[in-house]
């Protein structure tokens, strides 16, 4: 593997070399390090893009500064901006992209070691990737806690407040509060002013040790869709052992790939979706990928049918009850 100076020209060649590497070393597994760029194909804007990023679009909320929406001290004073954003981004609003399903396919093929994600959208989980493979470095909507006493609460505690606006006003909320100390409840998303989960640091240390011990297996680290500007997450690629191959799927060079490139680095200049499709093709996984997508679509349709049946069942029971009450009234 050789680092390509003209990364625009040699992007597809880099994907081919990655596929050849994985085929040549059947025991090699992949650690994915991903950011917001992986989810933009789902319709979720990233945070920092001019004019289209989430921070730019939050200007209507009159924040003192864009990042205040994720500032723990500001949240204590004014939870409304975060609630407004959460309502827009809450899991279930968007569906996983091709890249998410590619990572699931790596799991199915026994080639996935871990996914380190900056994203809070839980789309890896929605793509049915196993929990044991996912490290949400900045947390996610998957669980909630009280910011005062740290009491844990089920997902519904926060979600129902988003779905039940105060006084029927779509952007006015009855904020979720703790029944023990009356402090605000929020999802376990890491805000500015909060520390990253211990699990992130512990698992990364374990995986680094695994890479060092299994250097002969030729494992691979793929970084995708991230600007590598937020630390400590941004430091992960630089900490990858020098004998472990690294790859970058991104629009332009970023982080350690730009400041301290390695001769063995492989770079795909483009979207993570294009990179996913190229890698699927090069690995000969197109049929497997289609089967995975069809399986997911079938399961979603079954869930939708089941949900509709439950609604109809409840409606039927209510109708019977109404008729029963009416009948008694007539007598």
């Amino acid at each position: 593997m050789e680092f390509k100076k003209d990364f625009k020209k040699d992007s597809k060649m880099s994907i081919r070399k990655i596929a050849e590497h994985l085929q040549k070393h059947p025991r090699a597994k992949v650690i994915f390090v991903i950011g917001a760029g992986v989810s933009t194909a789902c319709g979720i804007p990233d945070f920092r893009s001019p004019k289209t990023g989430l921070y730019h679009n939050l200007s209507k909320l009159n924040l003192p500064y864009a990042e205040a929406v994720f500032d723990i001290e500001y949240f204590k004073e004014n939870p409304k901006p975060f609630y407004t954003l959460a309502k827009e981004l809450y899991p279930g609003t968007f569906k996983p992209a091709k890249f998410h399903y590619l990572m699931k396919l790596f799991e199915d093929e026994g080639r996935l070691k871990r996914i380190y994600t900056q994203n809070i959208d839980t789309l890896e989980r929605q793509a049915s990737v196993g929990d044991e493979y996912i490290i949400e470095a900045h947390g996610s909507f998957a669980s909630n806690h009280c910011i005062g006493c740290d009491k844990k609460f089920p997902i519904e505690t926060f979600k129902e407040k988003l779905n039940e606006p105060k006084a029927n006003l779509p952007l006015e909320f009855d904020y979720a509060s703790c029944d023990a100390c009356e402090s605000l409840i929020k999802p376990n998303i890491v805000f500015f002013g909060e520390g990253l989960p211990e699990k992130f640091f512990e698992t990364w240390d374990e995986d680094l040790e695994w890479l060092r011990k299994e250097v002969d297996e030729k494992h691979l680290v793929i970084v995708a869709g991230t600007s590598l500007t937020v630390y400590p997450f941004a430091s992960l690629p630089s900490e990858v052992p020098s004998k472990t191959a690294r790859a970058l799927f991104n629009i332009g060079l970023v982080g350690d790939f730009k400041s301290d490139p390695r001769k063995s680095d492989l770079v795909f200049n483009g979207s993570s979706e294009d990179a996913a499709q190229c890698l699927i093709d090069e690995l000969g996984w197109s049929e497997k990928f289609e089967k995975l997508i069809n399986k997911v679509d079938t399961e979603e349709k079954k869930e939708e049918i089941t949900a509709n049946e439950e609604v109809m069942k409840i409606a039927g029971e209510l109708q019977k009850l109404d008729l029963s009450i009416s009948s008694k009234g007539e007598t």
Side-chain angles (χ1 to χ4, degrees):
M1 295 184 181
E2 294 183 3
F3 176 74
K4 301 294 184 180
K5 293 182 180 179
D6 187 354
F7 58 88
K8 290 184 178 180
K9 178 180 178 181
D10 296 307
S11 288
K12 289 190 176 180
M13 181 59 70
S14 293
I15 295 290
R16 188 168 300 146
K17 285 182 175 292
I18 291 170
E20 290 173 354
H21 177 86
L22 292 170
Q23 290 164 341
K24 183 179 178 180
H25 305 286
R27 293 173 62 87
K29 294 189 176 184
V30 175
I31 292 176
F32 288 95
V33 177
I34 66 173
V38 168
S39 295
T40 53
C42 310
I44 302 175
D46 63 15
F47 288 93
R48 292 175 173 79
S49 291
K51 297 184 180 180
T52 59
L54 282 173
Y55 286 153
H56 175 82
N57 294 336
L58 288 172
S59 57
K60 61 186 178 184
L61 297 177
N62 298 317
L63 294 167
Y65 52 96
E67 292 85 353
V69 70
F70 290 121
D71 186 293
I72 189 62
E73 295 303 322
Y74 188 81
F75 176 77
K76 291 175 183 177
E77 297 175 9
N78 182 15
K80 182 178 178 178
F82 176 72
Y83 267 71
T84 304
L85 180 68
K87 188 174 180 66
E88 182 179 341
L89 296 181
Y90 205 82
T93 306
F94 303 94
K95 291 186 177 182
K98 190 175 294 183
F99 198 91
H100 296 105
Y101 289 117
L102 171 66
M103 294 188 291
K104 171 59 179 173
L105 191 53
F106 266 87
E107 178 190 352
D108 292 345
E109 293 294 308
R111 308 298 296 270
L112 177 64
K113 174 61 177 179
R114 201 84 63 199
I115 298 170
Y116 289 88
T117 177
Q118 289 176 288
N119 301 335
I120 61 176
D121 51 41
T122 72
L123 288 171
E124 301 83 17
R125 297 173 186 271
Q126 291 182 55
S128 298
V129 176
D131 288 353
E132 67 272 24
Y133 296 102
I134 304 170
I135 299 296
E136 294 160 328
H138 296 164
S140 75
F141 286 103
S143 56
N144 303 304
H145 76 285
C146 168
I147 65 173
C149 66
D150 203 36
K151 181 178 178 180
K152 306 300 183 288
F153 289 88
I155 295 175
E156 291 74 17
T157 304
F158 181 83
K159 184 179 180 181
E160 66 184 12
K161 296 298 183 181
L162 294 181
N163 295 331
E164 297 176 6
K166 188 176 181 180
N168 294 319
L169 298 174
L171 295 182
E172 295 296 331
F173 305 94
D174 181 15
Y175 304 122
S177 60
C178 178
D179 56 3
C181 72
E182 297 185 353
S183 297
L184 290 166
I185 294 169
K186 78 170 184 68
N188 288 332
I189 295 169
V190 178
F191 279 24
F192 295 109
E194 295 183 308
L196 271 62
E198 285 298 320
K199 186 178 180 181
F200 164 73
F201 297 102
E202 293 171 357
T203 307
W204 179 243
D205 286 342
E206 292 170 3
D207 286 348
L208 284 179
E209 184 63 24
W210 172 78
L211 287 171
R212 295 186 189 100
K213 285 184 177 180
E214 297 204 2
V215 63
D216 292 338
E217 302 297 347
K218 305 295 182 183
H219 301 303
L220 176 67
V221 175
I222 295 178
V223 181
T226 172
S227 60
L228 292 179
T229 57
V230 179
Y231 287 84
F233 191 92
S235 67
L236 299 190
S238 65
E239 296 173 6
V240 172
S242 58
K243 293 183 179 180
T244 299
R246 306 186 310 178
L248 174 68
F249 299 165
N250 207 58
I251 300 175
L253 292 171
V254 293
D256 196 52
F257 289 91
K258 184 177 182 179
S259 62
D260 191 20
R262 303 176 185 180
K263 289 184 178 181
S264 60
D265 284 344
L266 287 165
V267 179
F268 178 93
N269 180 60
S271 72
S272 57
E273 289 297 272
D274 289 342
Q277 186 60 63
C278 288
L279 189 53
I280 290 166
D281 293 341
E282 290 293 337
L283 287 170
W285 286 0
S286 297
E287 186 176 343
K288 293 176 181 178
F289 188 79
E290 288 301 319
K291 286 183 178 179
L292 173 61
I293 296 299
N294 290 336
K295 179 183 177 183
V296 170
D297 288 343
T298 300
E299 290 175 351
E300 285 182 351
K301 287 177 182 178
K302 286 181 178 178
E303 290 177 1
E304 186 177 341
I305 290 170
T306 301
N308 288 337
E309 288 176 345
E310 286 297 319
V311 170
M312 294 300 293
K313 181 179 178 181
I314 293 171
E317 292 297 326
L318 289 173
Q319 186 177 22
K320 289 179 182 178
L321 179 62
D322 184 53
L323 290 172
S324 176
I325 293 173
S326 298
S327 176
K328 289 179 180 178
E330 290 174 359
T331 58

